[in-house]
Amino acid sequence: MLFNSNAFYIFLPIVFVIYWLTPPKHRWGVLLVSSYYFYMSANAKYILLILLTTAVSYGTALVIEKTEEQKKKKLCMGLALLVCLGLLFFFKYFNFLSSSVTAILARASISMSPVTLKLVLPVGISFYTFQTLGYVIDVYKGKTKACRHFGKYAAFVSFFPLLLAGPIERAEHLMPQIEEEHHFEYDKAIRGAKLIAWGYFKKIAIADVLSSSVDIVYNQVTSFTGLALGVATLFYAFQVYCDFSGYSDIARGVACLFDIDLVNNFKSPYFAASVKEFWARWHISLSTWFRDYVYIPLGGSRTGKWKTYRNLLVTFLVSGLWHGASWTFVIWGGLHGAAQIFERIWNQYFPPGKEGKNRFRVLLTFAFVTLAWLFFRANTMSDAIYILTHLFDGITHPLSYVKECYVAFKKAGLIQSNELKLVLFWVVLLMAHDYIALREDVCQWFGRFGKPVRYTFYFALIFVVLYSRQLGEYSFVYFQF
């Protein structure tokens, strides 16, 4: 069940009404049942996986908290890691590892057929696996208490707004909200509705429109060259941002309807003045997860310069692999790790300074992030290499460089697209929103305008979403992870 599907438009109001009509002490049960129904609508049989992950993490956390023997604590944590990561590896990485080993052996003149399994990746497995592992590790470290109530813990793991694509919540933040009794707050519900509307605008009016253009180029890259590849990659930079941050906004908004706060996963990432700052603003719940559970345990920045560089690179290589079982994702992660190492060395000699320099760094960071996205989007490694090697073909002749892009896009039917022309204006509106968000809460800023202005904007936003939705129903990019 997608957030932008007709089924969800029916599902959400029903759950909302039942939740608030149910006595407060039993509302966690409504969340649990509705979350399991929501997940089973994608593939009913995979509910067994989330139940197994929930049961193992719940049980091991209780044992870890009760026992005083360090050896037993480590054994229980190891069991949780083995089961949860084992399931993730089997479904997501088995075929990738098999084909990679076969390719390596082939280079050594050892011929063998890869062992592949016909597996369908369970939706959301990467997200709920990391959420449960974070919980067990935090209990092991004494940062959070083990939950005694299995039902409420199961609701924490499966809470439907974040189940399929995050944000990855920490137990110390979300668990108390699941356990406590809630009372309806009108202002919070209105705030949630605004977040939902803004999320749908980003997803349907921007991401989905750009998606069709990006797919035309990236699904037949050898038919394009030069600036056309660059424009498609730029389009993808905004597509993936609006798609994923739009999902996160909808998730946060839906949670607000149930008086629950989720972490803000995006904070104007394309205004970052460094790759390090970009990751402090992009997919924040994931970047902080890798920081706390991978980078710091490796030694962080406490083990000397060269080991710090190693820790950064390893963390981002693992992050790339988390995103997808493909070498293109590994390279994408490695590029971000290498960029942070370069920044650390560069800043030793040329520290960030004046505002003008920072603006230049914002543009430079955006250019790097956009270029790196081509590995994230490319269907194969050969496609990624083709784009990288043909991206600047003809750039020494600027007029023909632009003209060839125009001709290629016109031939593909993109120049004639009114929706694509309109989406460029929506991107400007989006960036204006993100620029304001750097300094203050946008809802509070917009609240200074009179009701006629605000309500005109709200209705216009809804109209744009409904109009854009006629173009088709597209899945969310991060559902594949």
Side-chain angles (χ1 to χ4, degrees), residues 34 94 109 176 198 203 380 383 477:
S34 59
F94 181 85
S109 300
W198 184 245
K203 165 61 180 169
T380 63
D383 281 359
V477 171

Side-chain angles (χ1 to χ4, degrees), residues 145-341:
K145 295 284 186 181
C147 179
R148 279 0 188 219
H149 196 294
F150 180 78
K152 291 180 180 179
Y153 176 70
F156 157 75
V157 175
S158 63
F159 186 43
F160 75 87
L162 54 76
L163 180 57
L164 303 186
I168 302 168
E169 280 285 352
R170 303 293 179 91
E172 61 187 15
H173 179 248
L174 182 57
M175 189 75 75
Q177 298 186 77
I178 298 291
E179 293 176 330
E180 67 187 14
E181 295 183 3
H182 293 273
H183 302 282
F184 183 75
E185 293 184 22
Y186 176 79
D187 290 341
K188 194 168 186 176
I190 293 298
R191 178 172 169 270
K194 291 176 181 177
L195 275 172
I196 293 170
W198 184 245
Y200 277 127
F201 169 73
K202 288 198 283 188
K203 165 61 180 169
I204 298 174
I206 300 179
D208 288 353
V209 175
L210 290 175
S211 174
S212 57
S213 301
V214 172
D215 289 347
I216 288 173
V217 177
Y218 268 82
N219 289 340
Q220 47 181 346
V221 292
T222 55
S223 300
F224 298 87
T225 187
L227 185 59
L229 297 171
V231 172
T233 304
L234 178 64
F235 282 180
Y236 184 69
F238 286 102
Q239 179 203 336
V240 71
Y241 172 45
C242 291
D243 191 283
F244 193 22
S245 67
Y247 176 94
S248 294
D249 287 342
I250 297 169
R252 290 173 59 216
V254 170
C256 281
L257 297 180
F258 302 100
D259 193 29
I260 291 176
D261 292 310
L262 300 181
V263 297
N264 187 359
N265 224 10
F266 294 87
K267 294 181 179 179
S268 309
Y270 286 155
F271 283 99
S274 67
V275 178
K276 179 182 179 181
E277 185 185 347
F278 172 79
W279 279 101
R281 296 178 176 277
W282 176 276
H283 203 173
I284 299 169
S285 64
L286 179 69
S287 59
T288 53
W289 197 98
F290 275 108
R291 179 198 66 198
D292 294 344
Y293 302 119
V294 179
Y295 178 68
I296 291 177
L298 284 172
S301 57
R302 307 184 308 274
T303 54
K305 181 172 63 175
W306 293 107
K307 287 186 178 180
T308 297
Y309 297 161
R310 178 205 64 188
N311 297 341
L312 275 170
L313 192 57
V314 169
T315 299
F316 276 92
L317 286 172
V318 175
S319 173
L321 190 60
W322 177 89
H323 280 85
S326 169
W327 287 110
T328 54
F329 290 108
V330 176
I331 290 175
W332 173 77
L335 285 172
H336 278 268
Q340 291 210 38
I341 293 170

Side-chain angles (χ1 to χ4, degrees), residues 15-232:
V15 176
F16 176 79
V17 171
I18 294 174
Y19 179 84
W20 289 112
L21 289 179
T22 302
K25 65 179 181 179
H26 298 304
R27 284 177 182 155
W28 65 266
V30 176
L31 294 181
L32 178 60
V33 173
S34 59
S35 295
Y36 278 0
Y37 175 82
F38 178 82
Y39 190 76
M40 291 172 69
S41 67
N43 195 323
K45 62 185 177 182
Y46 284 135
I47 194 67
L48 297 175
L49 295 179
I50 197 170
L51 280 169
L52 177 60
T53 302
T54 302
V56 170
S57 56
Y58 169 79
T60 52
L62 283 177
V63 175
I64 288 171
E65 188 174 69
K66 288 180 180 179
T67 187
E68 295 181 0
E69 297 179 33
Q70 194 63 24
K71 187 176 180 180
K72 196 172 182 180
K73 287 177 180 284
K74 288 183 178 180
L75 185 64
C76 287
M77 189 174 74
L79 176 63
L81 290 171
L82 179 65
V83 173
C84 297
L85 289 179
L87 289 172
L88 179 61
F89 169 81
F90 178 75
F91 282 95
K92 191 170 183 177
Y93 301 108
F94 181 85
N95 288 342
F96 168 68
L97 181 63
S98 177
S99 59
S100 297
V101 169
T102 302
I104 293 171
L105 291 176
R107 288 183 177 273
S109 300
I110 302 174
S111 179
M112 70 175 286
S113 300
V115 179
T116 57
L117 302 173
K118 294 182 179 179
L119 298 172
V120 177
L121 182 67
V123 178
I125 189 171
S126 298
F127 291 92
Y128 69 70
T129 296
F130 271 29
Q131 185 156 308
T132 54
L133 287 181
Y135 163 74
V136 174
I137 295 171
D138 284 349
V139 172
Y140 175 81
K141 291 182 176 180
K143 290 183 177 180
T144 191
K145 295 284 186 181
C147 179
R148 279 0 188 219
H149 196 294
F150 180 78
K152 291 180 180 179
Y153 176 70
F156 157 75
V157 175
S158 63
F159 186 43
F160 75 87
L162 54 76
L163 180 57
L164 303 186
I168 302 168
E169 280 285 352
R170 303 293 179 91
E172 61 187 15
H173 179 248
L174 182 57
M175 189 75 75
Q177 298 186 77
I178 298 291
E179 293 176 330
E180 67 187 14
E181 295 183 3
H182 293 273
H183 302 282
F184 183 75
E185 293 184 22
Y186 176 79
D187 290 341
K188 194 168 186 176
I190 293 298
R191 178 172 169 270
K194 291 176 181 177
L195 275 172
I196 293 170
W198 184 245
Y200 277 127
F201 169 73
K202 288 198 283 188
K203 165 61 180 169
I204 298 174
I206 300 179
D208 288 353
V209 175
L210 290 175
S211 174
S212 57
S213 301
V214 172
D215 289 347
I216 288 173
V217 177
Y218 268 82
N219 289 340
Q220 47 181 346
V221 292
T222 55
S223 300
F224 298 87
T225 187
L227 185 59
L229 297 171
V231 172

